[in-house]
Structure formats: structure tokens, C-alpha cells
């Protein structure tokens, strides 16, 4: 297999100043609606990038769970690698890879912890099995086998067999407050359309076209 020969042209759409909205959140919502309507698998999936104390980046895929004018919200175990890295450096990047639409969105910003009330509201909305999985998994830490993991899950299922499953004290969430948001639309001959919104001191947004 010759990897250098794997290529295709990007011809689905174009992005110009005329069809960009002034507000990046509205622009993102429009593209997200297109992704959902196009029945893309996991349209809310985003790559979350954080950096450890040595400067080593790490990435993982997380689901976007809420969006408003404050930012992009996701939830996680606070003992996870990403949460521990965000403790030391709350700078973060999100990447939405909508390949089938020949689009990408990249968010640059800071992750702000959510209040317990918001975390609890989301946790209680999850399916029961997902709630139990949160209790069973010491996220990012070693586990000797899947059998051990499933045994822990079964123990949690027995422990919380009756009544509501409580919010774990190690479960939290973040709102990513963006400083920059880039929209990328694939173009022919690798001449892609790229626009970046940069937040200004007065909270307005400056839009700049970038070279592909």
C-alpha cells in the first residue's frame, strides 16, 4: 500500500466572507445542524487536546454535551488524564472532524470547571448503565483485565440496585471558553477555505481568512 497515493479532491462546498455569520457560535450551530441532518456518525464527537507538565500533548475523543454563548461543554471523571492535565494548564483545544462534509472546526480556549449543580443535572440524565460505568471506572488508571472491570461494574450494579444512583464525587465537567474558533472547508487542489474568529478585548470577534 502506497500511502502517498491515497488522495481525493474536496469539491462539496465553499466558504466565503459572504456566507459566514458574524458570531462564531451561530456559525458553529449552523454547521452542527448540517452534520446532524446529514446523519454523520457521532456528529457531536470532538477531539480534546490537553498538555501535561512536561509539555507533552495528549488527545482523546469526547462528546459535546452543551453549547451556549459561554462555550462548549463536556463531562469527565476528574481523576482522568485530561482532568489532571487541565488542573495544571487549563489551555485546551477542541477539534470537530466532519470529514464526510469536508469540514473541520477547531476551538482554542480555556477550560472552566462547571458547578456541581450543572454536573449533577447532566449525570442524572444519563442512562443508568452509563451512571454505573462512571462509578466502576477509575478512568485512565491501569486495570489488570476486562474481567476485573466487569466485576466492578456488577458490584456497582448491586450496590445501587435500589433508588437513584448518586453523583460520584469524582465526576465533573468543563465549559471551554473560546479565544479563537477556526472554520475549515475543503477546496479543490488543496486550496481550502479557512476563516478564524478571534475574540477581542470588548468580546467582539475579528474574522480573518487564512491561507490553506
Amino acid at each position: 500500500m502506497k500511502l502517498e497515493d491515497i488522495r481525493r479532491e474536496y469539491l462539496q462546498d465553499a466558504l466565503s466572507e459572504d456566507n459566514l455569520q458574524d458570531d462564531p457560535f451561530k456559525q458553529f450551530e449552523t454547521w452542527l445542524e448540517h452534520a446532524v441532518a446529514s446523519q454523520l456518525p457521532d456528529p457531536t464527537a470532538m477531539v480534546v487536546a490537553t498538555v501535561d507538565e512536561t509539555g507533552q500533548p495528549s488527545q482523546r475523543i469526547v462528546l459535546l454535551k452543551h453549547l451556549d454563548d459561554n462555550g462548549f461543554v463536556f463531562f469527565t471523571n476528574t481523576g482522568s488524564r485530561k482532568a489532571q492535565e487541565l488542573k495544571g494548564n487549563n489551555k485546551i483545544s477542541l477539534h470537530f472532524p466532519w470529514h464526510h462534509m469536508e469540514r473541520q472546526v477547531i476551538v482554542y480556549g480555556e477550560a472552566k470547571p462547571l458547578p456541581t449543580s450543572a454536573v449533577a443535572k447532566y449525570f442524572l440524565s444519563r442512562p443508568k448503565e452509563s451512571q454505573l460505568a462512571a462509578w466502576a471506572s477509575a478512568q485512565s488508571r491501569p486495570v489488570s483485565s476486562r474481567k476485573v472491570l466487569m466485576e466492578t461494574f456488577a458490584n456497582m450494579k448491586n450496590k445501587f440496585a435500589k433508588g437513584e444512583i448518586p453523583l460520584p464525587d469524582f465526576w465533573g465537567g468543563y465549559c471551554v471558553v473560546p479565544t479563537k474558533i477556526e472554520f475549515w472547508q475543503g477546496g479543490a487542489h488543496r486550496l481550502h477555505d479557512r476563516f478564524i474568529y478571534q475574540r477581542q478585548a470588548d468580546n467582539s470577534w475579528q474574522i480573518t481568512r487564512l491561507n490553506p
Side-chain angles (χ1 to χ4, degrees), residues 32-83:
L32 179 58
E33 287 170 3
H34 291 171
V36 172
S38 298
Q39 297 185 320
L40 295 186
D42 300 316
T44 61
M46 58 187 184
V47 179
V48 174
T50 55
V51 179
D52 71 12
E53 69 277 3
T54 71
Q56 172 63 55
S58 61
Q59 302 174 64
R60 72 290 289 161
I61 293 176
V62 175
L63 298 180
L64 176 69
K65 287 301 177 182
H66 181 71
L67 174 70
D68 58 31
D69 290 341
N70 294 315
F72 301 76
V73 170
F74 69 93
F75 297 88
T76 186
N77 185 312
T78 56
S80 66
R81 181 173 61 188
K82 58 185 167 297

Side-chain angles (χ1 to χ4, degrees), residues 135-159:
W135 274 100
S137 173
Q139 197 175 113
S140 299
R141 298 188 184 170
V143 61
S144 59
S145 67
R146 182 167 184 84
K147 180 182 178 183
V148 169
L149 178 63
M150 297 310 295
E151 286 173 351
T152 306
F153 179 82
N155 291 339
M156 291 299 168
K157 193 171 184 178
N158 290 332
K159 180 177 179 179

Side-chain angles (χ1 to χ4, degrees), residues 165-186:
I165 300 172
L167 173 70
D169 59 6
F170 52 82
W171 190 257
Y174 297 90
C175 178
V176 176
V177 181
T179 54
K180 296 186 291 185
I181 305 178
E182 180 182 333
F183 293 84
W184 183 101
Q185 176 71 60

Side-chain angles (χ1 to χ4, degrees), residues 74-178:
F74 69 93
F75 297 88
T76 186
N77 185 312
T78 56
S80 66
R81 181 173 61 188
K82 58 185 167 297
Q84 292 303 303
E85 290 178 352
L86 287 170
K87 263 188 188 178
N89 180 357
N90 75 339
K91 295 281 197 303
I92 191 170
S93 180
L94 312 176
H95 177 231
F96 294 85
W98 294 324
H99 301 303
H100 294 294
M101 299 171 65
E102 300 175 356
R103 289 176 175 174
Q104 304 177 62
V105 180
I106 305 171
V107 178
Y108 305 88
E110 296 183 348
K112 310 287 187 181
L114 293 173
T116 302
S117 57
V119 176
K121 181 179 179 181
Y122 168 70
F123 184 81
L124 294 174
S125 75
R126 302 180 87 197
K128 185 173 181 179
E129 290 75 13
S130 295
Q131 294 179 20
L132 291 169
W135 274 100
S137 173
Q139 197 175 113
S140 299
R141 298 188 184 170
V143 61
S144 59
S145 67
R146 182 167 184 84
K147 180 182 178 183
V148 169
L149 178 63
M150 297 310 295
E151 286 173 351
T152 306
F153 179 82
N155 291 339
M156 291 299 168
K157 193 171 184 178
N158 290 332
K159 180 177 179 179
F160 299 118
K162 296 180 181 178
E164 206 171 66
I165 300 172
L167 173 70
D169 59 6
F170 52 82
W171 190 257
Y174 297 90
C175 178
V176 176
V177 181

